[in-house]
Amino acid sequence: MPSQTTSRRMHAGLLLRGALAVFLLVSWTGCGRNEPAPAPAPHDEMPQQPESALEVPLAEHLDDTLRMNQIQVIATHNSYHAMPPAALHAQVKAVYPDAATWEYDHAPLGLQLNRGIRSFELDIHHTLRGYEVFHVQDFDAASTCGDFEGALRAIRTWSKAHPRHVPIITLIELKKEDVPFANTQTFPFEAADLVALDAQLLSVFSPEELITPDDVRGEYPTLAEAVRAGKWPTLGQARGRCMFVLHVRGPLAEDYTRDAPSCQGRPMFVEGEGDKPWDAVFVINEPELPELAHYVRQGFIVRTRADADLREGRANDTARRETALASGAQIVSTDFPRGEAEPGTRYQVELPGNVTARPNPVTAP
């Protein structure tokens, strides 16, 4: 997901090279509405078998000992992402050199789960076709998911086929970026869209298949208080279930929690900010930051990144990866998971012993 700074650079770069971009769109017929980036064949439509060592990654005698915030798993960044057609990408990169950071290719969600991934990140765009999953309209739109409902069904299909899995946590980022010269129209998310996304989620998953804010809050006045009191479900209670987190702040977070400040009755959590009643899950991408350790010690779940913008992978620089794994962050995200090592350096991110999950190096008793 591009940062605000990256988005501004993209905007400026495209404007400065506007004539070339227009040529790109004219010469690449079918570029409108993400057409040059059709979803690959849906390999994750049917359940697939994970490696036997990954099926039950933590000994079941720990089911009543460990809570959800006391384990650690590997996630993929922009989990849906696939490379666009080579000719299109070469032309985009000529206009916008930072598009080189888009050169990674993830397997379909079901195959990632087979390889041990237990956390995803999905970018959702509101388009004329609905809630689509992609990175940047027209220019980096290839996706293994297609739309939000398709991604949900892929995750649930795998989950139901493997009912002893540790919880699968998915971050949902709602995006609205104005990309110069893109033909695909996108719309801002509003409160009604949040209701619609909840409805889509609950049309695929039953409440019993989810870990919800109400499951954690219980009788506590706020979700944040319950988390600080250590009320995450045990591993045994969480096995076979999925959890969804709105990766948003500001007005959208306020809309989602209006009249429900601890996400009461809502199926999704909302990204924490540090002083909100709904605080439960934080996204802190830089693993060395002191606030990461602070939130981990308080009992919150934290997602961090082992690498970013392909830098560490291409340089085979493992320092950030090792910091992330040792940080206590429960979710460590990468562009280079098991089975998708950087082609040149063979850099990849996995837990010691190549397991799916392990007792958290900081929080496990």
Side-chain angles (χ1 to χ4, degrees):
M1 55 187 170
S3 66
Q4 291 182 350
T5 300
T6 301
S7 297
R8 286 194 296 268
R9 285 202 306 267
M10 179 179 181
H11 186 279
L14 283 167
L15 286 176
L16 288 172
R17 301 170 179 85
L20 178 57
V22 171
F23 171 76
L24 186 162
L25 288 174
V26 170
S27 62
W28 190 272
T29 60
C31 191
R33 294 194 175 88
N34 297 334
E35 289 176 5
H43 299 294
D44 48 358
E45 289 290 330
M46 296 298 293
Q48 303 169 8
Q49 291 303 312
E51 297 183 21
S52 58
L54 300 178
E55 179 72 18
V56 181
L58 288 173
E60 294 196 3
H61 73 267
L62 296 175
D63 276 7
D64 297 326
T65 302
L66 295 178
R67 292 187 177 271
M68 279 184 60
N69 66 312
Q70 295 174 328
I71 67 173
Q72 186 177 63
V73 299
I74 301 299
T76 46
H77 164 245
N78 291 350
S79 306
Y80 56 85
H81 191 267
M83 280 290 293
L88 171 63
H89 182 66
Q91 290 184 338
V92 171
K93 194 161 59 169
V95 174
Y96 177 59
D98 279 4
T101 64
W102 303 344
E103 294 170 355
Y104 57 99
D105 205 28
H106 287 316
L109 302 184
L111 182 52
Q112 291 187 49
L113 288 163
N114 282 349
R115 293 171 174 171
I117 294 302
R118 290 297 179 268
S119 183
F120 295 126
E121 178 185 45
L122 303 176
D123 290 340
I124 312 298
H125 300 253
H126 185 192
T127 75
L128 290 170
R129 293 196 245 185
Y131 301 116
E132 294 190 77
V133 180
F134 58 83
H135 190 216
V136 178
Q137 57 261 45
D138 296 351
F139 300 110
D140 191 31
S143 171
T144 65
C145 298
D147 62 14
F148 182 49
E149 184 176 347
L152 294 176
R153 292 195 181 281
I155 295 168
R156 184 182 183 274
T157 295
W158 192 94
S159 175
K160 297 304 288 183
H162 306 93
R164 297 299 297 156
H165 67 76
V166 299
I168 300 167
I169 301 177
T170 301
L171 272 60
I172 306 298
E173 183 169 7
L174 308 183
K175 299 184 71 172
K176 173 65 175 84
E177 294 182 335
D178 295 319
V179 178
F181 307 108
N183 284 348
T184 298
Q185 186 177 8
T186 64
F187 306 95
F189 284 88
E190 300 178 352
D193 295 301
L194 302 177
V195 173
L197 290 169
D198 274 2
Q200 282 200 3
L201 175 56
L202 292 173
S203 75
V204 175
F205 287 89
S206 70
E208 295 75 24
E209 294 167 343
L210 298 173
I211 297 161
T212 68
D214 285 341
D215 292 330
V216 179
R217 186 176 62 86
E219 300 300 320
Y220 280 78
T222 70
L223 180 57
E225 289 176 78
V227 168
R228 290 190 177 96
K231 296 303 179 181
W232 287 107
T234 65
L235 179 58
Q237 293 168 332
R239 282 194 189 274
R241 298 166 73 188
C242 298
M243 174 174 150
F244 293 85
V245 181
L246 273 179
H247 181 9
V248 298
R249 291 189 173 198
L252 285 173
E254 298 291 341
D255 283 342
Y256 195 78
T257 58
R258 185 166 288 117
D259 302 322
S262 290
C263 300
Q264 298 96 316
R266 290 288 208 176
M268 291 192 275
F269 294 75
V270 177
E271 178 185 348
E273 299 184 31
D275 59 352
K276 303 297 186 184
W278 63 77
D279 287 346
V281 181
F282 286 85
V283 177
I284 302 175
N285 289 326
E286 294 77 20
E288 74 282 358
L289 292 181
E291 52 262 44
L292 187 155
H294 169 74
Y295 290 128
V296 166
R297 286 194 302 269
Q298 289 197 351
F300 295 98
I301 287 178
V302 177
R303 195 290 296 263
T304 195
R305 291 183 66 177
D307 43 73
D309 296 330
L310 310 187
R311 288 188 303 266
E312 288 79 8
R314 288 175 169 171
N316 198 24
D317 180 352
T318 61
R320 179 171 175 166
R321 179 186 73 187
E322 298 311 309
T323 299
L325 291 171
S327 69
Q330 292 83 359
I331 303 169
V332 178
S333 179
T334 181
D335 289 323
F336 303 103
R338 179 179 180 150
E340 298 176 17
E342 203 285 332
T345 66
R346 309 310 300 166
Y347 168 97
Q348 69 178 13
V349 177
E350 55 192 355
L351 294 174
N354 300 333
V355 297
T356 294
R358 66 169 176 169
N360 190 290
V362 173
T363 61

